[in-house]
Every structure is written in C-alpha cells, then in structure tokens.
Amino acid sequence: MAIKRIGVVGSGIMGAGVAEVAASSGFEVVLRSRSRTGADAMLAGLDASLARQVKKGRIDDDRAAEVRARVNAVTALDELAACDLVLESIVEDLATKQDLFRDLDRVCTPSAILATNTSTLPVVEMAMVTQRPERVCGIHFFNPAPAMALVELVPALTTSDDVLAEARGFVEACGKTAVTVKDQAGFVVNALLFPYLNNAVRLFDAGVASRDDIDAAMKGGCNFPMGPLELLDLVGLDTSLAILDALYAEFHEPNFAPAPLLRRMVAAQRLGRKTGAGFYDYSR
Ligand SMILES: NC(=O)c1ccc[n+]([C@@H]2O[C@H](COP(=O)([O-])OP(=O)(O)OC[C@H]3O[C@@H](n4cnc5c(N)ncnc54)[C@H](O)[C@@H]3O)[C@@H](O)[C@H]2O)c1
C-alpha cells in the first residue's frame, strides 16, 4: 500500500512538528486539532517556521508555498477518513489515547495504519481497543521533529510485519533514521534519558548546584547541546512527569520515581516553554 496522505491528531509541540516534517517530505497532511484556535495556531507556527527557513536560505518561496499547501488543518475527526496513516500526538494519557483509537478505528478505512507518538505508554493497549490490532504501531518522533534525525519504531505484539515495513517506509521517506524497539515503557531513548533528567531535578531541589550551573555542567562536562533543566522545559514538564510515572509504573525502579518538585511544578502549571515558565522564564 502506498502511503500518500498522513493524518496527525493533536496540534501541540509534536503534532505540529510531525505535520511539518511530513508535508516537507511530500506527503499530504490533514492535521486535526480539537479547536479552530489550536488549528490556526499550528498553521501560524508552520508559516513562521517556513519563513525562518526561507530567511536562512534553506528553501525558496516557491518551496515554502508548496509545503504550506500540503497541510490542511481541520477540527472534525471525520476529515481523517481518507488518510493512509494517522499518527496521534495528543496528551500522554492512556485512557485518552484509547478513546481516540476507538474513534479513529470507526472513522478511518480498514486499510489505514493507526500509529501513536507515545513516549512511554503500551502500544498494544491502544491496538487492542481497535478492530485492527495488526495495523497499529508506535512511531516515536523526537522533539523538535523537523530537526531530530531519529524515530523509534515500536511494533506491538499484535503489529504485522507488513505494517512495520510500511511504517519504516514512511519514516525513511521523511528523511529520518528508524530504530526498532520492543513495546516496553520508554523504548530506548527515554528509558535511558529520563533517569538522568529526573536526577537533575533532584540535584537542583537539594541545592547541590544552581539551575544555571547544573545545565552548564552537563553542556561543558559531557558536551551535551542542552542542559537537563533546559531540556525538561523543551519537552514539557507535564509530558516529562507522565513519562516518569509510566516508567515507574512499569519497572518500579527508584530512579524512575518522579522528583517531587517536578510534580509540584506541573501542579503550578509551570510546564516549561509551552506555558512561558518552567525552570526558566520565557515570558520576556
Ligand atoms: N514533548 C516531547 O518532547 C515529545 C517527544 C516525543 C513524543 N512526545 C509525545 O507526543 C505526544 C504529545 O506530546 P506534546 O509534547 O506534543 O504535548 P503538547 O502538550 O504540546 O500537546 C498535546 C496535544 O494534545 C491535545 N489534547 C490534550 N488533551 C486532549 C484530549 N483529552 N483529547 C484530545 N486531544 C487532547 C492538546 O490540545 C494538544 O494539542 C505525547 O504522547 C508525548 O509523550 C512528546
């Protein structure tokens, strides 16, 4: 089956990023947001990103217009009916994702692949609420999707080999490198990354070093492009907390137990860049 039209559900950080990647790679994209405001904000973000690329000389005006014309932002889920592959990028909550998979299963053609961008949740539990568990898999892009080279492909126990191959074809057509990972919490990258990020919050909370010094230490000492507290702000503290909760629920390892400060910051809606404040202040 040739994948031509991609549906993306969710217009947050990852939905917007994946829509841009897919459209830039020649796919028709239908992005579904729950509200017109969300859909318009996503389109405004895409326009701004394309304008930045034109300014930097990476693409010309014609190419930017072509990419923009491939993206249709909608609010009704039914508009995804003609998509060959739908990738959901909504909030990291299993019950919410399962409700969406039930709806997608009803709306999309039986041949469509339904995929999740989850960072940690069991793909099989989304697959099993549909009538097509063999056509569901995880396609885990990284943030920011247009810049990051890697995608983790996550076949559930139910995913067919054909569907995995088609998902790999899509990822490679997007210019990304795919690694295949078993359906267990955190896959490879987040299983290794999140204990580190969590421990950075613990060090900060214990007053071992200041925010700036913790970030400077890991950039200068390990050559990481970003410090851990900056990275948490980029990922989103709510998403980070959900990832740690899922890792802890699966493995019960102390390193996955979320630092209390992280939970308090989420309660205070200090979610990082997306709310204008996290460990850093982005309001100015
Ligand atoms: N942020 C990252 O670094 C990152 C990286 C890779 C994968 N992911 C995964 O991508 C998914 C989305 O994360 P994000 O960072 O884009 O989050 P985000 O907070 O930026 O966006 C979440 C989106 O979900 C929508 N949403 C919230 N509640 C909903 C509901 N009840 N029903 C339908 N839609 C709802 C919101 O309106 C928003 O569009 C998550 O599964 C996350 O684990 C995130």
Side-chain angles (χ1 to χ4, degrees):
M1 165 187 156
I3 294 176
K4 295 199 180 82
R5 183 172 302 185
I6 306 296
V8 177
V9 187
S11 55
I13 301 172
M14 290 311 291
V18 170
E20 180 175 341
V21 169
S24 300
S25 307
F27 294 97
E28 293 295 322
V29 175
V30 183
L31 179 125
R32 189 266 180 165
S33 179
R34 285 178 301 172
S35 67
R36 196 60 246 170
T37 318
D40 290 342
M42 181 271 154
L43 289 175
L46 175 62
D47 286 339
S49 172
L50 292 170
R52 275 195 303 276
Q53 292 174 58
V54 170
K55 203 170 166 195
K56 286 181 183 162
R58 290 194 193 139
I59 57 174
D60 61 22
D61 284 327
D62 289 352
R63 165 96 180 128
E66 266 173 40
V67 173
R68 179 64 180 74
R70 285 194 204 108
V71 180
N72 183 15
V74 304
T75 54
L77 205 66
D78 294 359
E79 305 249 17
L80 300 171
C83 291
D84 306 309
L85 183 158
V86 177
L87 178 62
E88 72 74 23
S89 269
I90 68 165
V91 63
E92 185 78 342
D93 176 75
L94 183 58
T96 310
K97 287 188 190 288
Q98 285 176 317
D99 284 346
L100 176 61
F101 270 85
R102 282 187 198 97
D103 290 341
L104 288 173
D105 194 35
R106 182 176 43 75
V107 163
C108 299
T109 55
S111 62
I113 296 174
L114 305 182
T116 173
N117 199 11
T118 183
S119 304
T120 35
L121 298 170
V123 179
V124 70
E125 295 197 29
M126 292 170 237
M128 290 306 284
V129 301
T130 73
Q131 303 300 309
R132 63 182 91 192
E134 71 290 350
R135 299 198 68 73
V136 175
C137 70
I139 303 182
H140 183 216
F141 280 83
F142 288 80
N143 180 17
M148 300 299 279
L150 184 75
V151 171
E152 289 177 324
L153 282 175
V154 187
L157 285 177
T158 51
T159 308
S160 75
D161 290 347
D162 287 352
V163 165
L164 186 62
E166 287 173 61
R168 177 177 285 273
F170 163 65
V171 165
E172 289 176 354
C174 288
K176 306 294 184 191
T177 302
V179 294
T180 306
V181 190
K182 244 171 60 171
D183 181 17
Q184 69 163 42
F187 314 130
V188 170
V189 173
N190 286 336
L192 293 173
L193 177 65
F194 269 83
Y196 154 69
L197 296 179
N198 197 29
N199 279 312
V201 181
R202 289 180 185 157
L203 285 184
F204 172 67
D205 200 22
V208 172
S210 69
R211 170 197 75 182
D212 290 357
D213 282 356
I214 290 172
D215 280 346
M218 294 312 291
K219 285 190 276 193
C222 289
N223 232 5
F224 288 178
M226 298 180 85
L229 302 175
E230 285 176 283
L231 181 54
L232 281 161
D233 276 358
L234 176 77
V235 170
L237 301 198
D238 53 341
T239 302
S240 299
L241 178 62
I243 290 170
L244 282 163
D245 276 336
L247 282 163
Y248 188 73
E250 183 119 310
F251 300 110
H252 292 283
E253 285 180 15
N255 266 332
F256 292 137
L261 176 62
L262 188 60
R263 206 177 287 286
R264 298 295 177 271
M265 289 178 72
V266 172
Q269 284 295 296
R270 292 179 61 105
L271 305 184
R273 289 192 191 189
K274 63 180 153 186
T275 55
F279 289 100
Y280 291 81
D281 184 2
Y282 303 90
S283 58
R284 276 160 288 143

